[in-house]
Amino acid sequence: MSRAFPPRNTNICDISSKIIKELSHILDVAAPVSGWRELIDAIPEDMFDTYEVEQIAMKMYSKESPTYALMYKLGTRGKTVQDLISYLDTMRCERALMFLRNYEPIVITRQPVGSISVMERKTLHIECEATGFPYPRYQWFKGQKEIKCATEPKLVIEDIRLEDEEKYSCRIHNNRKETVTFTKPTVVKVIPNPEAVNNREVIYARSSISERVKTTTKSTPAIHQFQPAALVQSPLRQDAPVITEHPVQQEILCLQPLRLTCNARGAPILQYQWHKDGISLPGATQNMYLVEKTTVADYGVYTCVVSNGVGEARSTEANVRIVAPIPGPGMSSVMPKIIQHPKTALVPAGSIVQFQIEATGMEPLKYQWFKDRVEMPGETGKKLQLQPDVGKHTYYCSVSNPCGTVHSKSGDLSVYHPRDQEYTATDKVVLLIGNNMYKNERPLYAPKNDVRVLADAFEQIGYRVVSLLNLTLDEMLNAVDIFCSLLDKGVYGVFYFVGHGFEKQGQCYLVPWDAPAAYGIDQCLCAEYVLVEMQKKNPALSVLMLDVCRRENENADRDQITTYKPDVRGNTVFFYSTSFGLQAFEEEPCQDSEESRNTVSGIFVKHFKKYIHLEKDVVNVFNDVVKAIKSDRSASDIQFPELRSNLRDDRCLTDKIVYQGHTRAYTKRYFQWKAAHELPQPQTVTFPEFDITVQLDYQKLFSNAMNVFATVINPGRATESLAWLTDIPPTVCVEQSIVVQPYHVPRTLTVITDLQRLQEPLIVLLVLTVKINGQKQECRRSVNLGEPLVAPLQLRKPRTTGRKEPTEQDEARYVNTHYR
């Protein structure tokens, strides 16, 4: 059964999770030789800064995939499967390309010469080239015998001998038996060397032909071994060409003449053909090759093939280097040097856009503009003026002169539909809550991943992000209060919840992680209550995104319903991931493993993350999400999103923050938010009895979860050492504690969650075990981590009174029907 490959124009975010998982496995494991860091290096644009690369690298500390994070970032920047293929092709990462690129049969693009003469004791060079995918595998033969180690396109045999006279051919294949092909044979004539007559027996006893093969590059490992067909042999005529003078390598100043000479003897009349880098030079058919004024295009490897109908011979290679002259007055370089690059632009549709480039160097300078890596015919000036359509494209320019060619940096042009008015926010805040580890409900995989993805996305567009996992009802209510305290007139507020939920009488209810088995309205948070509280602050934009099921809950019938009526202010967008009476779904893990579950997304976030960065009003962004889910084969028939809005302004999630006139309120919100996101300072703990130092570092996962790394930075006298945390208070949760050694130093990772439940400073025990002189020893130190992240907000404090606890009858009639 043939493998289905994603279309080349598919956004990387839309590649199936199975393929992404395979790519992640390959590129994560292959590092540092051909892994995800090399993939970043293969991207021609300066797409990621050092901070982003390190953020991707940190994923491995929490047993996540850096490749998965990189793929997501590429997709959100508009990169397609075609772009990914070109990056992997630059890396020659065949294993990864096998999941993206169709099979291409072998095509020989360069045949070896028909015959060649070489002096005894000299070096023999025979070359061929082929294309195809998987990449071609080469195996050279002498007659019908395979030459060991000769598995490169170029066959180089040093110290050639009389016994090496034979026909040489190359077998080429790429993993399919029917496409195994052979090059045309090369007849090799060895000319006796008078200096070797008296000591041939001694010299020839030194090594076999396989030991004299010189390898120049790392060859691609063979896939299959096939025996070549028999090669027809014919004797070489004595009057075949013999080269008596070979061209010599040269180093020439740019614009100076180049002269190469090749002389030969033989009969009948000799014919000459010069080659550069293996390609025939038109009109170069004399024994001398002449270029009056050289340019960098003349840089390369030259050979001359001499033939006369009886046979042919190939000269040795002559490497020609073109050197730039010393810059003249007023010139910093004779090579083109770009001093002004095209700039990225964001413009409304209908605008006239102009890109400009400035360069110095030896005249004349020639310019050529490119759009999305495709040459733009006729655009050969310093300036590029155009009126583009809506969308995003990349432009750059090449500048060349006789001494070389350089390319400018890329300038991205984004064109959007103009709005009647440009809007700004005085601040932007988002509260993300994900409940997945339910006490009495089916656990979910997607909430943790969805909250993490949205936290990264909202941070990129300027939001203050509060991200929380697995909250009780009291904690949810307190989190909403603190979130609303950050809202004010002119502020954009976004609330997102993912987990289990239900609907009753037109109101949607969000289920806390510890809800009882027979939960009803009294044990859940009403989404309309959240909107009422948000509207009290009169924000410029109120967005609620609910990624929950909206089925009826029979246990809700026993509770008295409080109807919430939010104020209508023309600022509200309410997005449900599914319609009333239906379920919301998440992807299924490819495998039953932690690694696979860490890549699962909900259907809504799977598509929303591709549109959140667009310069579109909020309603149109959600309309794009609805269309994307409709086109998703895995979700189009089971999930039907619903959008409600009374938004009268074309506000975007990406609108800029302008806080002039609101500086005091903006600063107050900043310090209020920052107080809930303080990590402990990195610290070192010394163990003088062992002369060992341990460093503790901290990384935020969510607003209520962090990574703690314990690294032995000075092992002292110990041959083995390891430090980790223990005795962590039971009010918080230790999700995992593992040993990681990315830098070949002893390091452990401890993941601490539920920090909102801390009742006092977090005091832990740092344990150090060492092995000195063969004896294992242990030492402990108490470490105070303070109140990290949201712990000072006391989200745990009781909020509700008179809450009805479920009776035994309620428990008995509970039916688990909720998917979200």
Side-chain angles (χ1 to χ4, degrees):
M1 184 175 180
S2 61
R3 176 181 290 160
F5 296 94
R8 295 287 180 101
N9 61 352
T10 301
N11 185 284
I12 292 177
C13 285
D14 291 331
I15 299 175
S16 71
S17 58
K18 182 177 180 181
I19 292 179
I20 291 292
K21 180 178 181 299
E22 295 291 348
L23 296 179
S24 298
H25 176 72
I26 293 169
L27 297 174
D28 288 348
V29 174
V33 179
S34 59
W36 62 269
R37 284 187 183 271
E38 285 63 42
L39 177 56
I40 292 178
D41 293 338
I43 300 173
E45 309 95 341
D46 295 330
M47 188 173 298
F48 301 106
D49 55 30
T50 303
Y51 174 77
E52 286 184 292
V53 174
E54 291 310 310
Q55 285 294 309
I56 294 171
M58 293 297 282
K59 297 294 182 182
M60 62 184 167
Y61 298 138
S62 51
K63 298 187 73 174
E64 298 177 43
S65 166
T67 301
Y68 180 84
L70 174 59
M71 294 297 173
Y72 164 67
K73 289 182 179 293
L74 287 172
T76 58
R77 285 162 169 77
K79 298 304 177 183
T80 64
V81 172
Q82 178 60 53
D83 296 317
L84 181 57
I85 288 175
S86 69
Y87 306 153
L88 293 171
D89 197 37
T90 301
M91 297 168 58
R92 303 288 286 184
C93 188
E94 184 179 270
R95 284 185 61 202
L97 284 168
M98 295 293 283
F99 294 93
L100 301 170
R101 186 171 171 183
N102 289 307
Y103 173 79
E104 297 171 15
I106 290 292
V107 175
I108 298 178
T109 57
R110 177 183 175 187
Q111 292 279 2
V113 296
S115 65
I116 188 170
S117 297
V118 61
M119 181 71 73
E120 182 184 14
R121 302 295 311 282
K122 299 299 182 180
T123 301
L124 171 66
H125 299 264
I126 309 176
E127 293 182 62
C128 67
E129 287 182 1
T131 60
F133 186 79
Y135 298 127
R137 271 66 170 167
Y138 299 86
Q139 177 59 62
W140 286 92
F141 287 79
K142 174 186 176 184
Q144 297 187 44
K145 186 176 180 180
E146 184 178 292
I147 304 174
K148 294 181 179 179
C149 304
T151 56
E152 300 177 5
K154 185 174 183 179
L155 175 65
V156 180
I157 302 177
E158 298 177 323
D159 193 22
I160 203 73
R161 305 171 180 180
L162 296 178
E163 65 192 40
D164 293 329
E165 278 197 351
E166 183 57 275
K167 285 187 175 182
Y168 290 78
S169 62
C170 185
R171 181 191 70 208
I172 309 175
H173 71 97
N174 66 347
N175 203 28
R176 290 205 178 178
K177 188 173 182 179
E178 63 270 18
T179 61
V180 173
T181 185
F182 287 84
T183 63
K184 296 178 181 179
T186 296
V187 178
V188 175
K189 172 69 175 178
V190 180
I191 302 171
N193 187 341
E195 298 177 359
V197 172
N198 298 325
N199 58 351
R200 277 194 186 118
E201 291 185 3
V202 176
I203 296 173
Y204 285 12
R206 291 177 185 171
S207 58
S208 66
I209 186 170
S210 297
E211 294 172 316
R212 290 181 283 120
V213 171
K214 181 180 179 181
T215 57
T216 57
T217 60
K218 186 177 179 180
S219 60
T220 307
I223 299 177
H224 295 299
Q225 298 292 332
F226 299 117
Q227 292 298 323
L231 300 176
V232 180
Q233 302 186 41
S234 59
L236 183 69
R237 293 276 298 275
Q238 295 300 312
D239 55 355
V242 175
I243 296 178
T244 58
E245 181 183 356
H246 292 267
V248 295
Q249 67 180 30
Q250 299 184 38
E251 187 174 284
I252 301 171
L253 285 176
C254 184
L255 302 180
Q256 296 301 307
L258 165 66
R259 292 183 179 86
L260 294 170
T261 302
C262 177
N263 287 314
R265 57 180 170 81
I269 297 174
L270 300 177
Q271 296 178 338
Y272 294 83
Q273 176 61 61
W274 287 90
H275 297 255
K276 176 179 174 289
D277 298 328
I279 301 174
S280 297
L281 293 168
T285 56
Q286 302 297 321
N287 68 324
M288 177 180 288
Y289 177 68
L290 174 64
V291 179
E292 292 290 347
K293 289 186 177 181
T294 54
T295 69
V296 288
D298 297 309
Y299 187 110
V301 178
Y302 290 80
T303 55
C304 185
V305 175
V306 186
S307 61
N308 63 355
V310 177
E312 64 180 31
R314 188 184 189 95
S315 73
T316 57
E317 295 179 344
N319 291 300
V320 175
R321 296 182 65 240
I322 308 299
V323 182
I326 299 174
M331 298 171 58
S332 61
S333 171
V334 294
M335 282 280 291
K337 181 178 180 181
I338 297 174
I339 58 176
Q340 179 180 327
H341 295 267
K343 296 181 179 179
T344 293
L346 173 67
V347 299
S351 301
I352 302 297
V353 180
Q354 180 173 283
F355 287 108
Q356 185 169 346
I357 188 171
E358 292 291 339
T360 62
M362 180 183 291
E363 298 288 348
L365 294 174
K366 296 181 180 180
Y367 301 85
Q368 178 59 62
W369 287 92
F370 293 80
K371 174 184 177 182
D372 298 331
R373 301 186 188 177
V374 178
E375 185 177 302
M376 301 177 70
E379 300 296 346
T380 55
K382 292 183 179 181
K383 298 179 180 179
L384 172 66
Q385 186 169 301
L386 63 160
Q387 186 173 8
D389 296 328
V390 173
K392 183 176 181 180
H393 300 282
T394 299
Y395 296 85
Y396 68 91
C397 186
S398 68
V399 185
S400 60
N401 68 6
C403 295
T405 300
V406 294
H407 295 276
S408 73
K409 295 180 180 178
S410 298
D412 291 333
L413 175 60
S414 298
V415 184
Y416 61 91
H417 287 290
R419 295 183 280 170
D420 295 335
Q421 178 182 345
E422 292 298 315
Y423 295 94
T424 59
T426 57
D427 208 346
K428 299 194 290 189
V429 186
V430 59
L431 172 60
L432 309 171
I433 299 177
N435 288 342
N436 67 322
M437 300 304 293
Y438 279 92
K439 193 173 181 180
N440 295 295
E441 264 280 19
R442 182 176 67 87
L444 303 171
Y445 299 129
K448 179 179 178 181
N449 304 319
D450 288 349
V451 169
R452 178 171 49 241
V453 167
L454 291 187
D456 289 342
F458 275 106
E459 282 180 359
Q460 290 182 26
I461 57 176
Y463 280 76
R464 303 194 196 284
V465 177
V466 181
S467 56
L468 300 165
L469 293 184
N470 297 317
L471 302 186
T472 65
L473 178 57
D474 288 338
E475 292 166 352
M476 291 170 70
L477 287 166
N478 288 322
V480 169
D481 280 355
I482 293 172
F483 165 63
C484 291
S485 72
L486 297 174
L487 303 181
D488 203 347
K489 187 176 181 180
V491 177
Y492 288 9
V494 179
F495 175 83
Y496 169 77
F497 178 85
V498 56
H500 286 299
F502 64 91
E503 188 156 327
K504 190 68 178 178
Q505 294 186 11
Q507 297 190 142
C508 198
Y509 293 87
L510 318 177
V511 182
W513 81 273
D514 64 339
Y519 58 78
I521 289 173
D522 291 344
Q523 291 83 36
C524 299
L525 174 64
C526 181
E528 281 68 22
Y529 164 80
V530 177
L531 181 56
V532 166
E533 295 300 305
M534 292 174 68
Q535 292 294 72
K536 288 179 181 179
K537 294 303 188 79
N538 194 22
L541 178 65
S542 294
V543 178
L544 281 83
M545 302 181 296
L546 305 182
D547 201 357
V548 298
C549 289
R550 295 177 65 193
R551 284 185 164 185
E552 290 269 5
N553 176 8
E554 64 178 28
N555 297 308
D557 294 334
R558 67 174 186 257
D559 298 327
Q560 183 176 353
I561 296 178
T562 300
T563 302
Y564 295 97
K565 294 183 178 180
D567 293 337
V568 178
R569 301 182 184 276
N571 65 344
T572 304
V573 178
F574 222 128
F575 187 86
Y576 302 89
S577 66
T578 193
S579 297
F580 173 68
L582 299 179
Q583 300 166 344
F585 291 88
E586 59 184 24
E587 297 177 310
E588 289 293 329
C590 297
Q591 297 178 352
D592 186 19
S593 66
E594 185 68 22
E595 179 184 1
S596 182
R597 287 190 287 272
N598 280 336
T599 63
V600 170
S601 287
I603 300 299
F604 164 64
V605 171
K606 173 185 176 183
H607 296 286
F608 178 58
K609 66 185 180 184
K610 295 180 292 186
Y611 300 98
I612 188 173
H613 301 87
L614 295 185
E615 298 284 341
K616 280 187 175 183
D617 65 86
V618 184
V619 173
N620 278 322
V621 166
F622 285 126
N623 281 332
D624 287 342
V625 175
V626 172
K627 293 175 184 176
I629 294 177
K630 180 181 177 182
S631 302
D632 188 337
R633 293 182 180 180
S634 65
S636 59
D637 295 331
I638 58 175
Q639 190 157 326
F640 300 88
E642 182 179 335
L643 174 63
R644 300 178 186 175
S645 173
N646 60 21
L647 189 64
R648 59 187 178 186
D649 299 330
D650 294 335
R651 295 188 181 270
C652 300
L653 292 172
T654 54
D655 285 338
K656 295 180 180 178
I657 297 175
V658 178
Y659 55 82
Q660 282 78 2
H662 308 273
T663 305
R664 181 176 297 176
Y666 178 86
T667 304
K668 179 181 178 182
R669 278 190 299 272
Y670 167 73
F671 284 110
Q672 187 177 349
W673 172 86
K674 190 173 184 294
H677 292 83
E678 294 281 3
L679 284 167
Q681 291 297 315
Q683 55 186 300
T684 56
V685 181
T686 58
F687 293 83
E689 56 268 57
F690 301 131
D691 195 22
I692 288 178
T693 303
V694 176
Q695 179 163 317
L696 296 178
D697 297 289
Y698 310 92
Q699 177 194 21
K700 178 176 76 73
L701 287 176
F702 302 96
S703 299
N704 64 338
M706 68 176 179
N707 287 334
V708 183
F709 299 97
T711 309
V712 178
I713 58 175
N714 175 23
R717 297 176 289 112
T719 55
E720 294 180 11
S721 57
L722 192 67
W724 69 91
L725 300 185
T726 187
D727 285 5
I728 297 172
T731 51
V732 297
C733 177
V734 179
E735 191 169 291
Q736 60 181 0
S737 185
I738 59 173
V739 177
V740 292
Q741 292 181 312
Y743 303 112
H744 307 291
V745 295
R747 168 177 288 190
T748 60
L749 162 65
T750 303
V751 181
I752 304 176
T753 62
D754 300 333
L755 291 171
Q756 77 278 7
R757 296 184 191 132
L758 273 178
Q759 299 176 5
E760 55 189 15
L762 178 58
I763 298 177
V764 299
L765 209 58
L766 177 63
V767 180
L768 173 69
T769 61
V770 298
K771 189 174 183 179
I772 300 177
N773 299 326
Q775 297 292 322
K776 286 191 175 182
Q777 303 180 54
E778 182 177 294
C779 191
R780 302 183 174 214
R781 291 284 189 277
S782 179
V783 180
N784 188 341
L785 305 185
E787 295 181 298
L789 301 177
V790 298
L793 301 185
Q794 298 184 344
L795 297 182
R796 67 184 184 281
K797 64 184 179 183
R799 271 289 306 272
T800 56
T801 58
R803 290 168 55 185
K804 178 182 176 182
E805 296 299 328
T807 64
E808 292 183 5
Q809 290 80 5
D810 292 332
E811 298 279 1
R813 61 191 178 91
Y814 169 73
V815 180
N816 184 358
T817 59
H818 301 284
Y819 281 76
R820 274 281 176 91

